[in-house]
Amino acid sequence: TGRVLLDGRSARRLQTLSQKLHQYLDVLAPKDVQGNRQVQVLQQVLNFEKRGKRPEWLGPDAIPTLLQVLMHEGPATRLLLVRLLDLIEGKTATVALAQRAVFDLGSEVRAAALRALEARPRADYRPVLLDALRHPWGPAAAHAAEALVELGDRDATPALLGLLKELD
């Protein structure tokens, strides 16, 4: 069904971080009359706020909250999302970046996500891009194809040939 079920700890963490991030957005980056946010101060806080020895917002457990709250915002905030994901190591962040490269409406945001993916393991993002080629929303498939070309992922060729055979 596409739903992700969280265990109790993860659900509480999502709720706590979500409330905190919404408060930060309201206080540190309120919307102007056009509905845009100035996110520079917010980015500084998120990059350096410590919980323990590392920034709280730059760990894999913050990814669900960052996605849930920021991916529906304006372009500047979605660029911040990509920058934050780029600073988080691991497959979960890579998958989220690949999803931004495919599904974000802004070409600047998609380009930033692609730049971030260049340093990531192809095996982590390739399945997202290949799956998006089958997506019913035409632009997602086009963005996925562009991403595979832009990233120079020649190792995806056998999977692409398999997709061509499926079309028959």
Side-chain angles (χ1 to χ4, degrees), residues 49-71:
E49 181 179 54
K50 301 281 186 188
R51 180 171 187 252
K53 296 184 178 194
R54 65 180 180 154
E56 178 174 38
W57 297 98
L58 299 182
D61 60 334
I63 293 172
T65 303
L66 292 170
L67 290 172
Q68 181 184 48
V69 175
L70 300 181
M71 73 181 197

Side-chain angles (χ1 to χ4, degrees), residues 20-21 24 28 39-59 62 66 70 79-88:
K20 192 173 187 179
L21 186 53
Y24 281 170
L28 299 174
V39 295
Q40 294 81 1
V41 173
L42 176 63
Q43 181 174 356
Q44 290 173 344
V45 169
L46 296 180
N47 280 347
F48 298 109
E49 181 179 54
K50 301 281 186 188
R51 180 171 187 252
K53 296 184 178 194
R54 65 180 180 154
E56 178 174 38
W57 297 98
L58 299 182
L66 292 170
L70 300 181
L79 275 171
L80 170 61
L81 170 62
V82 168
R83 287 193 295 270
L84 292 168
L85 291 170
D86 190 24
L87 296 172
I88 300 172

